[in-house]
Amino acid sequence: MSATTAPSSELYAEVLLPLPLRAVFTYSVPEAMRSELRPGSRVVVPFGTKKFYTGIIQSLTATPPELSSVKEISVCLDSTPIVRRSQTELWDWISQYYLCAPGEVMKAALPAGLKLESETFVETAPDFDTDRLSILTERELEVYQQLSHADRRLSIAELARSTDRRSVNSIVSSLLDKEAVIISEKLIERYTPRRIRCVRVNYPRYDSEAHAKAFKSIRSGSKQEKALLALLALSQFMRPATELTEVTMEQLLEKSGVAATSVKELEKKGLVEIYRKEINRFSYDGTPTRPLPTLTPQQLQAFSEINQCWHSTPITLLHGVTSSGKTEIYLHLIAGALQAGRQALYLVPEIALTTQLTKRLQQVFGDKVVVYHSKFSDNERVDIYRRLLQRTDPVVIIGPRSAIFLPFASLGVVIVDEEHEPSYKQQDPAPRYNGRDAAMMLARMHGAKVLLGSATPSIETYYKAKQGRYGLVTLTTRYADASLPDVQLIDTTAMHRQGLMQGALAQPVINRIKKSIADSAQSIVFLNRRGYAPIAVCKMCAHTPHCQNCDVALTYHKRIDRLVCHYCGAEYPLPRICPQCHEPAVEIFGYGTERIDLELADSIPDAKIVRMDLDTTRQKDAYQRIIADFSQGKANLLVGTQMVTKGLDFDRVDTVAILNSDALLHQPDFRAHERTFNMLSQVAGRAGRRGQQATVMIQTRDTSHPVLSHIVAHDYQSFYAEELTERQRYSYPPFSRIIYIYIKHRNVNALIDAARIYTQSLTELFGRRVFGPDEPPVSRVQLLYIRKIMLKIETNASMKKVKQILLDLHTRLHTTHTDQMRGTIVYYDIDPV
């Protein structure tokens, strides 16, 4: 992206907009803006008839476009670029690799606070004569009067609320036709800078006469005198050759012990000035308290091997068993990057992990630690983004996949912890990128080294490491020679037969948890299903309430006494009378974490229970509170979903119970066994991390399943060999590349026709590499019916050509089969997990 400034009197900008369109748009640059604009700057531009969007300038040129008319840029938001060149290069790569529009990547990459949005506002037309009110219908008159009484513009949303009309859009449209109202666009700035009040002395520093005059104007011993004396001391005003210190109002009031009114009185007398200063929200409260941890001989050897591997390949896999001390090695690698004056990126799969890791990082690196994730407000994310944009000093950034989009100046090392986790893959909306793979490309652009860490690496990653494409370093023992936990399989069928399983937990599991609590230890109960119960069923006619928008049974949540769709979030009352047979026979069945929580509270009254799932972690600081309570011993029993499986480090856990493992094993997915092995091995790894012998109890109906036997033996190598053989037999990754093609439509018959045409066309191009179309287990989500086609491509084929063929086919089908493709949504999932 470079500016072209030819002698031409005109200047044009190619602008990227946050829209799902595979194009940039040309705008003319007003003469007043020509000296301000740069590639990478934000601009507000008109689009369509009424919309305005925030765009990013891709390039500037004096060459006019081949268009009859070109709109002008409306507003220049930045005199300096808001994105770096390396960022836009990454956006381009993600767009091309994952077959999505560049604007979709931009929309995901920039914090919402940096994107102005337009909102439609309505007001009465100034030239509409009130004598013409008779032409309005009753509903139109109601809306018109609402606007008149408001005496201001109202948004469509405000009108809908105030008039209680669901059809407000059509009413406004009708009022527009009758010229009774006009509409306008108001740009909404989402980012609000944080400002603090500061105070400074308002007379010359070295003027003794002015100083004496100031104190004569206030009464001796008064609160105003206290405030002025405190300000002089805090600002070092009376210390010659000393730079003045900025003083906040908060500091001044605390030091002087007076109220703000006294300071304002000083301002009225002209003795002080109160002003507002914009500050960054990112702050560090503590100070480094410890040096880098000393590595054990095993860790030191792994650290040395990683650096040796990086001499020949920029990417290395650290395969270390759970609690082997991988984090300590990460800290040393990060320290090396910072000492070299470069930045470090530490990716984690879940926001929950940032809570524990941030504290560990800050104890070593202090204010060089930057945390970034979606639980921060728009304003906080913009502040962090701006801090990294404006500074190039060495820092370590920790966060989930979205952290790859920050404006790095010079990355030296990228750590991808728990690299196997499917959480790194963005599912909806686009871009459907894998944060791990995008981070490796980001590192390549910066010339940085990459370390992938996991106790259970993904099959593809481990295969590449074994083939020599990545470096491979192993840690086979736990830190301080702690023992791996004893894993036991609990046969739930036998437990039921023996009367030892009344609820969701077998009696031996409950007994073990009770013993753990009696021994002042802690336990974790893992069930990968939130809510109280997964299904409600009528005992008489077997009717099951389903979501009206999605083809999925509703989950009951007892706390809110509602049925909830976990796909679209819609809520429904639990029917007391069956809507089908009209009998009072609707009951709930099954278990979720909410029900397990309550059941354990009944069966183990001494337990202090905390629950960690999506329902309990919606608030910004919920993760931190739950993890702190459990880490500090305020709770001795943690119930949770997959959030508890990912790298959390607790000292006193000696029991882990895993419920309903069969549901994980028997999913219709070629990765089901891998996902189960990884998840259960990881949650088992939360136990016995500080030397004590721990027990993991897995409840299952199939104790002979080979995946469970590998987990019991802590044998990743055998599992990998068995899984690799199966993948090779059926040509699944790493022996092929997979692309899922999703087709959606509101009409199921139209969807079937579109899917048939798409599949036939794909088969003509790719032959037996095409599978489907299939109806997925959940075949309708948010009123859209779904079909899935799988494309299986050989590893030696050109994926670039394959993707271009798919894009060309998409254009051709929507051109030649216009009627069948109308209303059809098609998108691609590259390298699905």
Side-chain angles (χ1 to χ4, degrees):
M1 297 188 306
S2 60
T4 303
T5 55
S8 169
S9 59
E10 296 294 327
L11 187 64
Y12 300 92
E14 298 292 326
V15 180
L16 176 63
L17 298 179
L19 300 170
L21 302 171
R22 298 181 182 278
V24 293
F25 298 88
T26 304
Y27 291 85
S28 65
V29 180
E31 189 171 353
M33 294 184 192
R34 292 179 188 174
S35 61
E36 300 178 63
L37 293 183
R38 300 287 186 276
S41 296
R42 290 179 305 157
V43 289
V44 177
V45 296
F47 189 83
T49 56
K50 295 294 179 182
K51 291 291 184 181
F52 288 84
Y53 288 100
T54 301
I56 298 291
I57 294 182
Q58 295 283 77
S59 62
L60 295 166
T61 179
T63 305
E66 296 179 2
L67 297 170
S68 57
S69 63
V70 181
K71 296 179 180 179
E72 275 194 347
I73 292 173
S74 299
V75 181
C76 172
L77 295 175
D78 308 298
S79 57
T80 57
I82 200 71
V83 295
R84 300 184 190 275
R85 183 182 181 87
S86 58
Q87 287 176 274
T88 55
E89 289 176 352
L90 180 66
W91 296 2
D92 290 341
W93 179 83
I94 290 175
S95 170
Q96 293 167 15
Y97 189 87
Y98 292 102
L99 289 180
C100 59
E104 291 175 309
V105 185
M106 171 196 164
K107 189 173 183 179
L110 287 181
L114 289 177
K115 292 174 286 190
L116 287 171
E117 293 187 348
S118 64
E119 186 175 345
T120 301
F121 282 76
V122 187
E123 59 184 311
T124 57
D127 54 354
F128 183 75
D129 196 331
T130 54
D131 293 339
R132 299 177 59 202
L133 290 176
S134 58
I135 69 172
L136 305 183
T137 67
E138 182 181 344
R139 297 170 70 191
E140 291 168 353
L141 184 60
E142 181 183 345
V143 171
Y144 183 88
Q145 289 175 338
Q146 183 68 33
L147 289 167
S148 301
H149 293 155
D151 195 30
R152 62 185 176 88
R153 300 186 305 172
L154 293 178
S155 70
I156 294 289
E158 289 172 327
L159 274 175
R161 287 194 296 269
S162 60
T163 60
D164 195 27
R165 295 289 187 191
R166 293 187 177 182
S167 56
V168 69
N169 283 329
S170 62
I171 297 173
V172 170
S173 178
S174 178
L175 286 169
L176 281 168
D177 292 339
K178 295 177 180 179
E179 299 180 343
V181 300
I182 58 175
I183 65 173
S184 59
E185 297 291 324
K186 177 183 176 183
L187 287 171
I188 307 300
E189 174 66 86
R190 288 185 157 195
Y191 173 63
T192 305
R194 184 181 176 188
R195 294 183 174 91
I196 58 171
R197 289 188 300 169
C198 296
V199 187
R200 58 186 166 214
V201 179
N202 198 31
Y203 56 81
R205 188 175 183 186
Y206 300 115
D207 190 332
S208 57
E209 185 178 336
H211 183 66
K213 185 179 179 181
F215 276 89
K216 283 182 182 179
S217 66
I218 54 180
R219 185 165 51 85
S220 178
S222 67
K223 293 181 179 179
Q224 292 179 33
E225 184 185 65
K226 288 182 179 179
L228 184 56
L229 287 170
L231 178 60
L232 293 170
L234 287 170
S235 64
Q236 304 190 73
F237 189 84
M238 304 301 293
R239 297 183 63 181
T242 304
E243 187 175 347
L244 286 175
T245 301
E246 201 160 37
V247 180
T248 68
M249 177 68 83
E250 184 180 1
Q251 290 172 324
L252 179 58
L253 298 182
E254 183 179 350
K255 173 78 172 176
S256 63
V258 304
T261 52
S262 298
V263 183
K264 290 178 181 177
E265 288 299 320
L266 289 174
E267 185 182 38
K268 289 179 181 178
K269 293 177 179 179
L271 302 181
V272 303
E273 178 188 355
I274 301 173
Y275 62 98
R276 289 188 175 274
K277 177 187 177 184
E278 184 175 322
I279 64 167
N280 194 296
R281 284 176 174 79
F282 179 82
S283 61
Y284 169 66
D285 297 327
T287 55
T289 58
R290 63 179 67 165
L292 276 169
T294 302
L295 298 181
T296 65
Q298 295 88 348
Q299 290 172 326
L300 194 59
Q301 181 179 349
F303 175 77
S304 175
E305 290 177 4
I306 290 167
N307 282 289
Q308 289 175 12
C309 287
W310 278 345
H311 287 303
S312 56
T313 175
I315 303 172
T316 293
L317 169 65
L318 175 59
H319 178 205
V321 298
T322 55
S323 192
S324 56
K326 295 186 288 294
T327 305
E328 285 78 9
I329 296 174
Y330 299 162
L331 294 178
H332 279 260
L333 295 172
I334 290 168
L338 299 184
Q339 288 168 6
R342 305 189 69 182
Q343 297 169 327
L345 173 61
Y346 191 152
L347 282 187
V348 293
E350 288 278 0
I351 295 173
L353 282 177
T354 63
T355 299
Q356 282 193 328
L357 289 173
T358 298
K359 184 176 180 181
R360 294 180 70 176
L361 289 169
Q362 287 180 335
Q363 286 176 338
V364 176
F365 302 116
D367 62 359
K368 289 185 172 64
V369 179
V370 177
V371 188
Y372 186 84
H373 56 66
S374 61
K375 291 293 182 182
F376 287 153
S377 68
D378 286 344
N379 288 333
E380 288 171 321
R381 276 180 281 173
V382 170
D383 278 343
I384 294 168
Y385 187 98
R386 287 185 182 278
R387 177 198 174 184
L388 291 174
L389 185 69
Q390 295 163 1
R391 295 167 56 178
T392 59
D393 52 317
V395 292
V396 51
I397 296 95
I398 179 170
R401 60 176 182 258
S402 60
I404 66 166
F405 293 121
L406 288 169
F408 300 101
S410 176
L411 267 181
V413 66
V414 175
I415 308 290
V416 184
D417 197 17
E418 311 294 354
E419 66 81 27
H420 64 277
E421 274 293 338
S423 301
Y424 280 120
K425 184 68 185 286
Q426 164 75 13
Q427 299 298 339
D428 283 308
R432 296 170 180 85
Y433 69 100
N434 190 310
R436 174 198 61 198
D437 299 341
M440 290 192 281
M441 179 54 63
L442 175 68
R444 180 179 175 183
M445 292 174 175
H446 283 265
K449 305 299 184 183
V450 179
L451 184 69
L452 309 174
S454 177
T456 55
S458 71
I459 298 296
E460 289 95 320
T461 297
Y462 198 69
Y463 179 78
K464 290 175 183 176
K466 296 290 283 185
Q467 294 293 309
R469 293 172 59 185
Y470 299 164
L472 177 60
V473 177
T474 59
L475 271 173
T476 57
T477 58
R478 282 187 147 190
Y479 184 79
D481 294 323
S483 301
L484 288 166
D486 174 36
V487 181
Q488 303 173 10
L489 301 181
I490 306 298
D491 188 338
T492 54
T493 302
M495 291 292 106
H496 277 294
R497 191 167 51 244
Q498 298 168 25
L500 296 176
M501 194 165 184
Q502 302 300 318
L505 283 81
Q507 193 59 47
V509 176
I510 293 175
N511 293 341
R512 174 67 197 187
I513 294 173
K514 287 181 176 178
K515 182 180 184 302
S516 176
I517 292 173
D519 293 341
S520 299
Q522 294 174 307
S523 300
I524 294 176
V525 175
F526 166 69
L527 175 62
N528 201 32
R529 178 178 286 156
R530 65 186 176 97
Y532 185 82
I535 194 168
V537 180
C538 175
K539 291 194 300 181
M540 301 299 292
C541 69
H543 169 74
T544 300
H546 276 62
C547 178
Q548 296 174 7
N549 306 319
C550 312
D551 183 22
V552 63
L554 298 167
T555 300
Y556 178 65
H557 288 246
K558 188 178 182 66
R559 184 184 62 82
I560 59 175
D561 191 28
R562 305 277 286 179
L563 294 170
V564 179
C565 174
H566 286 180
Y567 283 80
C568 71
E571 296 182 8
Y572 305 85
L574 177 68
R576 307 304 170 187
I577 304 296
C578 175
Q580 187 160 300
C581 70
H582 307 293
E583 292 290 333
V586 178
E587 292 190 355
I588 55 174
F589 292 93
Y591 289 84
T593 48
E594 185 183 10
R595 189 172 188 177
I596 295 298
D597 183 349
L598 296 173
E599 186 174 290
L600 284 167
D602 288 338
S603 57
I604 312 177
D606 296 337
K608 300 173 185 175
I609 306 172
V610 290
R611 174 162 56 95
M612 188 160 72
D613 55 28
L614 186 60
D615 298 320
T616 62
T617 56
R618 295 186 186 277
Q619 296 179 347
K620 175 184 173 182
D621 299 322
Y623 290 109
Q624 186 172 349
R625 175 180 50 78
I626 293 169
I627 292 171
D629 285 350
F630 196 66
S631 297
Q632 296 167 12
K634 295 178 182 177
N636 50 25
L637 181 51
L638 173 62
V639 178
T641 57
Q642 60 179 342
M643 292 180 181
V644 305
T645 72
K646 301 173 184 178
L648 295 173
D649 187 16
F650 301 118
D651 290 349
R652 295 184 292 136
V653 174
D654 74 349
T655 301
V656 169
I658 298 171
L659 313 185
N660 200 20
S661 60
D662 304 294
L664 300 171
L665 282 168
H666 301 299
Q667 292 178 349
D669 189 305
F670 76 92
R671 296 189 191 275
H673 287 180
E674 177 186 9
R675 196 172 292 124
T676 302
F677 180 89
N678 291 350
M679 192 176 293
L680 300 194
S681 296
Q682 288 289 338
V683 72
R686 300 314 103 204
R689 299 175 70 86
R690 293 298 180 271
Q692 74 272 31
Q693 181 61 53
T695 300
V696 176
M697 308 178 87
I698 302 175
Q699 294 190 175
T700 176
R701 294 188 301 272
D702 187 3
T703 56
S704 62
H705 198 289
V707 171
L708 296 179
S709 67
H710 296 314
I711 294 171
V712 170
H714 303 286
D715 192 350
Y716 175 84
Q717 298 295 340
S718 295
F719 166 75
Y720 167 77
E722 187 176 285
E723 185 70 8
L724 196 68
T725 300
E726 197 79 356
R727 298 278 185 93
Q728 190 169 24
R729 179 180 302 156
Y730 296 105
S731 189
Y732 277 111
F735 303 103
S736 67
R737 304 287 295 278
I738 301 293
I739 299 175
Y740 286 158
I741 303 164
Y742 287 94
I743 305 176
K744 296 184 177 182
H745 202 289
R746 287 182 176 271
N747 183 289
V748 67
N749 293 321
L751 173 66
I752 291 171
D753 286 343
R756 175 181 52 80
I757 293 170
Y758 228 97
T759 304
Q760 288 176 352
S761 301
L762 284 168
T763 303
E764 290 172 5
L765 294 167
F766 294 104
R768 298 176 64 183
R769 301 176 183 89
V770 180
F771 300 83
D774 295 324
E775 183 177 344
V778 178
S779 60
R780 186 173 63 112
V781 175
Q782 295 182 336
L783 299 176
L784 292 171
Y785 294 91
I786 309 167
R787 293 295 183 270
K788 183 179 77 173
I789 304 168
M790 182 172 69
L791 190 58
K792 195 182 289 186
I793 303 296
E794 298 88 342
T795 55
N796 58 359
S798 169
M799 288 299 288
K800 184 177 181 180
K801 290 182 179 178
V802 169
K803 292 171 186 176
Q804 188 58 54
I805 290 171
L806 290 175
L807 292 176
D808 293 342
L809 175 63
H810 183 275
T811 302
R812 176 164 62 84
L813 289 182
H814 280 75
T815 303
T816 58
H817 295 78
T818 307
D819 292 339
Q820 293 92 333
M821 291 296 150
R822 185 176 290 112
T824 301
I825 299 171
V826 179
Y827 65 84
Y828 309 92
D829 187 0
I830 311 297
D831 301 336
V833 298

